[in-house]
Amino acid sequence: MHVRFSNVDEHYIKGKVESGFYTSENEVVRDAVRRMREEEERIARFQAAVRLGDEQIERGETVPYSKELMEQIGQRTKQGKKIDNPDVLP
């Protein structure tokens, strides 16, 4: 595969290699593509969680917001306990 970049992007990529953080231009591009893929996957997981939440709201499966609920969540995180819920994303 052969890819052409604008002068600005080409200088940016070469600068990354010259800084020593990457060993080659290919490595810079591979890292950028990997990060794009990871970001798209993170967005897809987030959107799926929102859809699930919307569906749960439509079915009436909700927990009312309250100060006590927020305190419970805060206590769990202060104690280092993981919130065991696949719908909660970092």
Side-chain angles (χ1 to χ4, degrees), residues 2 4 6 13 15 19-24 28 31 34-37 40 42 47 52 62-64 76-77 79-80 85:
H2 180 74
R4 293 214 21 102
S6 68
I13 292 168
S19 75
F21 191 77
Y22 295 95
T23 59
S24 70
V28 176
D31 189 41
R34 177 188 57 79
R35 290 175 189 229
M36 285 173 32
R37 189 177 59 250
E40 288 175 2
R42 187 189 67 77
Q47 290 172 334
L52 176 61
T62 61
V63 176
R76 289 186 63 84
T77 56
Q79 295 169 357
N85 186 333

Side-chain angles (χ1 to χ4, degrees), residues 7-84:
N7 288 338
V8 171
D9 291 339
E10 188 174 327
H11 284 89
Y12 179 81
I13 292 168
K14 288 183 179 194
K16 288 294 185 182
V17 174
E18 290 169 5
S19 75
F21 191 77
Y22 295 95
T23 59
S24 70
E25 288 89 357
N26 285 336
E27 189 178 355
V28 176
V29 173
R30 280 193 303 269
D31 189 41
V33 170
R34 177 188 57 79
R35 290 175 189 229
M36 285 173 32
R37 189 177 59 250
E38 288 173 352
E39 179 69 4
E40 288 175 2
E41 291 167 358
R42 187 189 67 77
I43 290 169
R45 288 192 311 271
F46 175 76
Q47 290 172 334
V50 169
R51 279 191 302 276
L52 176 61
D54 286 342
E55 292 166 2
Q56 290 171 330
I57 289 168
E58 288 176 11
R59 292 191 302 264
E61 300 170 359
T62 61
V63 176
Y65 172 85
S66 68
K67 182 178 178 184
E68 292 78 22
L69 176 63
M70 293 295 101
E71 288 173 354
Q72 288 174 355
I73 293 171
Q75 286 299 317
R76 289 186 63 84
T77 56
K78 284 181 187 174
Q79 295 169 357
K81 293 182 181 176
K82 182 179 178 183
I83 297 176
D84 189 23

